[in-house]
Amino acid sequence: MLLVETADTTTLSYWMNWRVLLCTIWVLTPMIVAAFIIWKYEGPKHPKSEREETEQDIDRFFSVEKAWRPCLEEIHPCWLLAFRIISFCFLLATLIGEVVIHGGGMFFYYTQWTFTLVTIYFGFGSLLSIYGCYQYDKMSGVTDSEQGSYMPLLYGDGINKSRMRKTLGSPEENSLLQTEAIWSHLFQVIFQINAGAVMLTDCIYWFIIFPFLTIKDYNMSFMTVNMHTLNAVLLLCDTALNCLPFPWFRIAYFVLWTGIFVIFQWIIHACVSIWWPYPFLDLSSPFAPLWYLAVALMHIPCYAIFALVVEIKHNLLSKWFPQSYQCLR
């Protein structure tokens, strides 16, 4: 890793200047806009009628199944479960190896923050897939009338929604469904944070740090390469298999994730004068505002790359498997 010595970051003069002011604007403004977007799209909703409440419950049901359903009907959920468990074990072993080699100080880096979140994603996804496999087996052996509130996911099927309106009604069912929907929603949010953060992490490392900022005797170890490639490869493979939506507004969570990391670094450096984990975070540089602005703007193409991958997946699989493709556009 790059250890860059800088000026004393605990002095008042380090923070009271025009560079820090501009960098603060570049960090806080996107975070405020992101918080507003999240409130607008995912804030508390107040249905006006019983019918609207029922429609919300139906949407929750279909949202829950997206967390563990593969994108094609021919693929059994157990295959997605197996992939997530293997990925989780591989990522966790890599993370433990990094902690053993470098200690807890490794979490000073954005790379390790993101890698840990990807590991959490696959661990969380494994649990949801286990639950989904149980529900899938429960559904497969019974008729619609015996399935209660659970029935196969057929996107765009008006008959299913009609039946759902009849089955969703008891307080117990709605309470359970709301709990499941909360966990499923959290899982989707983690997925989309990872999508942007993985692209940002790997792009910055391979296109900025590695070619231009390597120091003398820099050791390109297997673990270093692993940390900057494994996360993207496994997440892209999961994306190819899963049925999760990818709405653009959730870039807001990605922006907040990075903003929290930057503020975390500022707080630490304001208290202790230590090296910056990434040279472009150093606020003493006259180019700091340009670096901060560039990294902020990089969030858009990094998120767009992953969104493009998802769109290509939709286009190809919906054409190749029109009868069995289960993902909503």
Side-chain angles (χ1 to χ4, degrees):
M1 296 295 179
L2 305 179
L3 309 181
V4 179
E5 296 181 1
T6 62
D8 186 357
T9 58
T10 60
T11 61
L12 190 62
S13 60
Y14 185 89
W15 299 97
M16 301 299 292
N17 55 71
W18 64 272
R19 296 186 305 275
V20 175
L21 176 61
L22 281 180
C23 292
T24 302
I25 293 173
W26 303 152
V27 172
L28 293 185
T29 300
M31 292 183 70
I32 293 172
V33 173
F36 173 77
I37 291 173
I38 293 171
W39 174 82
K40 178 181 178 181
Y41 286 96
E42 302 198 298
K45 306 266 191 321
H46 302 285
K48 299 179 181 179
S49 66
E50 183 177 347
R51 178 181 177 82
E52 288 178 342
E53 290 180 354
T54 303
E55 292 295 332
Q56 275 194 5
D57 289 336
I58 293 171
D59 291 339
R60 288 193 191 101
F61 170 77
F62 286 103
S63 176
V64 167
E65 286 206 342
K66 295 171 191 173
W68 54 265
R69 282 270 182 182
C71 58
L72 299 177
E73 288 182 3
E74 292 87 352
I75 302 176
H76 194 284
C78 283
W79 288 107
L80 181 57
L81 168 62
F83 174 77
R84 285 175 172 174
I85 290 177
I86 294 172
S87 298
F88 173 68
C89 293
F90 199 4
L91 289 165
L92 184 62
T94 301
L95 195 60
I96 292 174
E98 281 287 303
V99 173
V100 170
I101 295 172
H102 300 292
M106 60 173 278
F107 293 104
F108 201 49
Y109 293 88
Y110 186 83
T111 297
Q112 277 69 22
W113 277 40
T114 300
F115 197 90
T116 302
L117 191 65
V118 174
T119 304
I120 292 172
Y121 167 80
F122 279 102
F124 193 4
S126 298
L127 294 177
L128 291 176
S129 288
I130 291 172
Y131 172 77
C133 288
Y134 167 75
Q135 292 297 341
Y136 183 87
D137 291 338
K138 181 179 174 182
M139 288 186 261
S140 61
V142 295
T143 62
D144 287 349
S145 61
E146 295 172 332
Q147 291 177 38
S149 63
Y150 295 97
M151 56 184 54
L153 178 62
L154 297 174
Y155 290 122
D157 187 354
I159 297 177
N160 265 2
K161 286 203 170 186
S162 177
R163 291 172 180 168
M164 287 291 293
R165 293 188 185 98
K166 297 177 181 179
T167 57
L168 288 175
S170 71
E172 294 79 9
E173 288 175 341
N174 288 338
S175 177
L176 176 61
L177 186 59
Q178 288 176 5
T179 301
E180 294 171 350
I182 289 172
W183 288 111
S184 177
H185 179 265
L186 177 59
F187 180 64
Q188 293 180 35
V189 168
I190 294 175
F191 170 63
Q192 294 195 251
I193 293 175
N194 281 326
V198 161
M199 291 294 106
L200 181 65
T201 299
D202 293 0
C203 286
I204 286 181
Y205 181 81
W206 290 113
F207 296 113
I208 297 178
I209 295 178
F210 176 68
F212 302 112
L213 300 176
T214 52
I215 57 179
K216 186 178 180 180
D217 299 326
Y218 180 75
N219 182 23
M220 175 60 70
S221 65
F222 169 78
M223 293 295 285
T224 300
V225 175
N226 205 19
M227 292 289 287
H228 294 90
T229 54
L230 182 65
N231 50 7
V233 171
L234 293 181
L235 195 63
L236 286 170
C237 290
D238 188 85
T239 302
L241 287 171
N242 71 36
C243 219
L244 295 175
F246 203 85
W248 253 98
F249 75 86
R250 285 194 182 136
I251 190 177
Y253 291 102
F254 170 36
V255 171
L256 288 179
W257 173 257
T258 305
I260 290 171
F261 172 79
V262 173
I263 292 174
F264 166 77
Q265 290 292 331
W266 286 356
I267 292 174
I268 288 180
H269 283 81
C271 299
V272 183
S273 183
I274 55 177
W275 43 267
W276 289 92
Y278 302 103
F280 47 81
L281 290 179
D282 183 6
L283 294 166
S284 65
S285 169
F287 301 104
L290 293 178
W291 276 115
Y292 273 74
L293 179 60
V295 173
L297 293 176
M298 279 183 67
H299 282 64
I300 298 175
C302 286
Y303 196 81
I305 290 172
F306 217 98
L308 178 61
V309 170
V310 174
E311 185 66 20
I312 292 173
K313 166 195 166 183
H314 285 325
N315 288 332
L316 293 180
L317 294 185
S318 60
K319 290 178 181 178
W320 294 345
F321 307 96
Q323 302 302 320
S324 64
Y325 187 60
Q326 302 186 100
C327 296
L328 277 175
R329 298 298 300 276

